[in-house]
Amino acid sequence: MTISPDGVITFWESTTGNRYQHHNIKPDTSVLVPPKTLHPYRTIGCVFRNDSFYANIQPSDAVEMCDFNLLDESRWKAMPHEAILSVSNSVLGWQSLRLMSPTLDPQLISADLELQLQALVTEHRREQGLSADWDGHLAYLLSPALAAYELERCTGSLAGDEEFQHAIRRAVPEGHTFKGFPIQFTHRNARKIFAYSLKAEKCQEVANCRGDQVKLALRVNVYVYAENVCAVWIMYACTYRSVL
């Protein structure tokens, strides 16, 4: 957040670089309906930088109702400068902690989890008297969509959706229907993943798909970050021709 000399407030989204101008309300103004905001931020508890810290002590922490005059002691509680210096000096004496670099191979664990989930879907369909005919080419086409979903989570921007839609249209035979269900997890337990996925109606429609020339596809993309934290993206998909 930056405040211009004229009092114009701008919010900055660090992950995307987007800027949002905020229209500040006037102090002591009775507002029945909060002004419409054009940014995604809802509440604010404090404002700080390297040499100052202000705690929001206004009746509401809603951004729409917040007055950003940081010098108003009835609305913002400033931390004493000496306290900030004492914390800064003590931090300088600490040994910096480094995050462990990822040691997992994302391609290997993606392929392994994909095989496990395929086996679970096949078993699930067999229990219902249904066969499981897997389409490797369709599964391949699902990868860009999963990459785009992870990129959106990281940056807030979705890219490549139009290209994915075109690829699917070309791959699906005429007269057939495509259904897909993406979902994301932070663990790699295949049975827990499939059990939770089946709670979604869209996933059930894919896993229990009935029709003529049913083809199944499943793609797993695992993204590994520091400390081996994983973002596990899965897409269940199928194509079929309705017999109704």
Side-chain angles (χ1 to χ4, degrees):
M1 182 187 78
T2 56
I3 304 177
S4 73
D6 298 329
V8 177
I9 298 165
T10 304
F11 294 140
W12 297 70
E13 176 52 55
S14 60
T15 59
T16 62
N18 289 337
R19 296 182 298 173
Y20 304 96
Q21 185 171 330
H22 177 70
H23 299 284
N24 198 20
I25 67 170
K26 296 181 180 180
D28 304 322
T29 300
S30 178
V31 180
L32 297 179
V33 180
K36 183 178 181 180
T37 59
L38 300 177
H39 54 73
Y41 312 114
R42 296 293 175 261
T43 61
I44 182 166
C46 63
V47 174
F48 63 90
R49 63 182 186 185
N50 64 308
D51 60 355
S52 56
F53 186 100
Y54 297 90
N56 186 2
I57 57 174
Q58 299 175 65
S60 171
D61 63 355
V63 174
E64 295 87 349
M65 306 300 296
C66 185
D67 173 31
F68 284 90
N69 180 9
L70 302 180
L71 300 181
D72 188 341
E73 296 182 353
S74 67
R75 302 175 186 274
W76 296 92
K77 176 67 174 179
M79 178 181 289
H81 187 63
E82 295 76 13
I84 297 176
L85 287 178
S86 66
V87 173
S88 300
N89 293 334
S90 63
V91 170
L92 292 176
W94 293 353
Q95 182 179 2
S96 60
L97 300 177
R98 296 184 178 180
L99 295 176
M100 181 185 72
S101 299
T103 59
L104 298 175
D105 187 326
Q107 293 183 345
L108 289 178
I109 59 179
S110 296
D112 179 65
L113 181 56
E114 188 171 303
L115 288 175
Q116 294 183 58
L117 287 172
Q118 278 187 355
L120 290 172
V121 173
T122 300
E123 179 184 0
H124 173 78
R125 289 181 62 83
R126 185 182 299 118
E127 292 174 351
Q128 302 180 67
L130 301 172
S131 61
D133 187 5
W134 295 97
D135 187 339
H137 178 64
L138 181 59
Y140 173 78
L141 296 178
L142 303 178
S143 291
L146 298 181
Y149 298 151
E150 179 63 11
L151 180 65
E152 182 183 24
R153 287 288 179 92
C154 294
T155 66
S157 300
L158 180 63
D161 184 64
E162 184 176 353
E163 290 81 0
F164 170 68
Q165 298 291 340
H166 290 331
I168 293 298
R169 290 193 186 100
R170 286 194 297 266
V172 176
E174 185 177 353
H176 288 62
T177 300
F178 170 84
K179 288 186 177 182
F181 173 71
I183 191 170
Q184 190 259 343
F185 294 90
T186 56
H187 65 84
R188 293 179 286 121
N189 186 308
R191 290 196 174 275
K192 288 184 178 180
I193 286 174
F194 186 55
Y196 186 85
S197 299
L198 283 177
K199 294 180 180 180
E201 183 179 351
K202 293 293 185 181
C203 183
Q204 292 181 26
E205 292 178 0
V206 174
N208 304 329
C209 180
R210 297 171 182 267
D212 189 21
Q213 301 180 23
V214 175
K215 297 283 188 178
L216 301 175
L218 189 148
R219 179 59 68 186
V220 175
N221 280 12
V222 179
Y223 301 90
V224 183
Y225 297 97
E227 300 288 327
N228 284 332
V229 173
C230 294
V232 180
W233 280 98
I234 302 160
M235 173 85 82
Y236 304 88
C238 68
T239 61
Y240 66 96
R241 185 168 62 185
S242 178
V243 295
L244 298 179

